[in-house]
């Protein structure tokens, strides 16, 4: 069992309920039951959703293709097909994710600096994991980004060209390869049919990331991740004795999840809602507000 021995984290008590096995399951049971959101979280979420742009971009794939260079030298990118619906679902999952994190006792015992680092590192993979757990699917449509050749041929000044290029990348969404990576992870989770407890242990393994530089309670966080993996392994051994490959499949899903970029998650699921606002500022407002 992970303890805070040798670490100057606040709230250290050495009791058995500091075990991540206890903490994660307790937290998951709290967030799995429908409960009213706090007033602050409701206001923040409503504020985000009210910023949803009225325009969803080009109305047809044909219009998108007409924007492409005739030489085909454009990078494939994609945007949400139904941004209002998908962003609302993702925002709801984000609220549940932050509530889950706040309900983990051994997380609350960490120094605030460590908490902030873990949140910044883990919010995106935890969100995508939450999308998988809630079976939130989404559709995208392909768009295009002007190639470097197109920008050169327009004869725009360098600064103006760079500005328009940045605006173009924002409007064009994210790489199709990045979208496919997220969808592949979701399909992997659904094909394995991950249980509620398994999702809880996976969240623990994601949240307690000892690979970050500057952690004050590094050894404690390392022990929490090991305990999360061990708890998951033990659960799989007891519940799925006939499936000898299940634990390996869950580890593969974890590796796929860690390869997903937080910038991609923010750009795909929240840019249509909050625009150019820093997602980390929104996270801090929702978590500590």
């Amino acid at each position: 069992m992970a303890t805070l021995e040798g670490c100057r984290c606040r709230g250290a008590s050495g009791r058995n309920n500091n075990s991540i096995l206890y903490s994660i399951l307790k937290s998951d049971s709290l967030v799995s039951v429908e409960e009213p959101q706090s007033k602050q979280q409701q206001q923040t979420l409503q504020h985000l959703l009210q910023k949803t742009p009225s325009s969803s971009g080009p109305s047809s794939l044909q219009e998108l293709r007409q924007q492409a260079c005739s030489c085909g030298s454009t990078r494939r990118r994609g945007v949400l097909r139904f941004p209002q619906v998908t962003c609302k679902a993702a925002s709801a999952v984000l609220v549940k994710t932050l509530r889950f994190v706040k309900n983990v006792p051994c997380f609350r015992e960490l120094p605030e600096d460590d908490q902030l680092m873990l949140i910044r590192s883990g919010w995106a993979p935890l969100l995508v994991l939450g999308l998988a757990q809630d079976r939130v699917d989404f559709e995208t449509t392909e768009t295009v980004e002007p190639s470097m050749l197109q920008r050169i041929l327009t004869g725009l000044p360098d600064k103006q060209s760079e500005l328009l290029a940045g605006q173009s990348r924002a409007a064009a969404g994210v790489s199709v390869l990045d979208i496919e990576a997220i969808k592949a992870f979701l399909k992997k989770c659904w094909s394995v049919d991950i249980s509620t407890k398994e999702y809880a242990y996976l969240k623990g393994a994601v949240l307690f990331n000892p690979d970050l530089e500057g952690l004050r309670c590094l050894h404690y966080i390392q022990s929490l991740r090991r305990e999360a993996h061990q708890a998951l392994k033990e659960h799989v051994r007891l519940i799925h004795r006939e499936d000898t490959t299940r634990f390996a499949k869950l580890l593969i899903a974890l590796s796929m999840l860690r390869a997903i970029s937080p910038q991609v998650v923010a750009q795909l699921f929240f840019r249509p809602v909050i625009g150019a606002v820093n997602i980390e500022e929104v996270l801090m407002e929702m978590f500590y507000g």
Side-chain angles (χ1 to χ4, degrees):
M1 179 185 67
T3 65
L4 284 166
E5 182 179 357
C7 179
R8 296 182 179 178
C9 299
R10 58 188 179 188
S13 62
R15 295 175 297 180
N16 289 338
N17 63 2
N18 281 331
S19 167
I20 194 173
L21 178 62
Y22 171 86
S23 304
I24 295 292
L25 283 179
K26 179 180 178 182
S27 299
D28 192 70
S29 65
L30 288 173
V31 299
S32 61
V33 178
E34 289 295 331
E35 60 181 30
Q37 300 173 1
S38 68
K39 184 177 180 180
Q40 180 65 33
Q41 288 176 327
Q42 286 179 328
Q43 291 175 346
T44 303
L45 181 57
Q46 183 178 8
H47 179 65
L48 292 179
L49 296 179
Q50 286 175 346
K51 292 184 178 181
T52 304
S54 59
S55 173
S56 58
S59 60
S60 69
L61 184 59
Q62 182 63 30
E63 290 180 12
L64 293 172
R65 287 173 175 167
Q66 289 175 353
Q67 297 175 10
C69 175
S70 59
C71 65
S73 58
T74 55
R75 293 185 294 176
R76 297 176 59 208
R77 300 178 73 83
V79 294
L80 293 173
R81 186 173 181 184
F82 306 106
Q84 291 83 1
V85 175
T86 304
C87 292
K88 182 177 181 179
S91 298
V93 172
L94 180 61
V95 170
K96 290 174 61 177
T97 298
L98 294 178
R99 191 188 312 141
F100 168 85
V101 173
K102 293 176 72 171
N103 285 330
V104 178
C106 49
F107 177 84
R108 296 199 304 266
E109 292 172 351
L110 293 170
E112 187 172 290
D113 291 345
D114 283 6
Q115 291 184 22
L116 292 175
M117 292 179 65
L118 293 178
I119 293 173
R120 289 190 175 109
S121 166
W123 75 267
L126 285 172
L127 172 66
V128 178
L129 199 56
L131 294 177
Q133 184 174 8
D134 288 358
R135 291 190 172 268
V136 176
D137 203 355
F138 61 93
E139 296 182 38
T140 59
T141 184
E142 193 168 326
T143 182
V144 292
E145 177 185 358
S147 66
M148 180 62 71
L149 177 61
Q150 286 179 281
R151 293 197 291 269
I152 293 175
L153 292 178
T154 59
L156 292 173
D158 290 341
K159 291 185 178 180
Q160 186 178 0
S161 179
E162 291 176 3
L163 176 61
L164 292 179
Q167 294 174 346
S168 174
R169 282 192 295 271
V174 301
S175 166
V176 169
L177 293 178
D178 289 327
I179 293 175
E180 290 175 349
I182 296 176
K183 284 187 167 289
F185 170 77
L186 296 178
K187 290 179 181 178
K188 180 69 174 179
C189 292
W190 297 335
S191 67
V192 177
D193 194 18
I194 301 175
S195 68
T196 300
K197 287 186 177 180
E198 288 169 334
Y199 273 117
Y201 296 133
L202 290 172
K203 290 175 184 177
V206 171
L207 175 62
F208 297 108
N209 179 11
D211 300 326
L212 304 175
E213 294 185 5
L215 290 171
R216 292 171 56 188
C217 293
L218 173 62
H219 297 298
Y220 179 52
I221 293 172
Q222 285 177 331
S223 66
L224 289 173
R225 171 172 281 188
R226 285 195 300 268
E227 194 168 336
H229 279 275
Q230 185 60 37
L232 176 62
K233 185 176 182 179
E234 184 67 15
H235 173 80
V236 170
R237 186 185 67 83
L238 292 175
I239 305 300
H240 301 278
R241 296 181 180 180
E242 73 289 349
D243 189 350
T244 59
T245 64
R246 185 175 184 84
F247 183 66
K249 292 176 182 177
L250 294 175
L251 292 183
I252 291 174
L254 265 182
S255 66
M256 296 171 64
L257 180 62
R258 287 168 180 154
I260 296 174
S261 166
Q263 289 77 17
V264 169
V265 175
Q267 176 82 2
L268 181 63
F269 294 113
F270 295 105
R271 181 93 181 188
V273 175
I274 65 176
V277 175
N278 189 330
I279 184 64
E280 288 191 1
E281 294 179 359
V282 176
L283 285 170
M284 295 304 102
E285 179 182 348
M286 294 176 67
F287 191 81
Y288 291 107

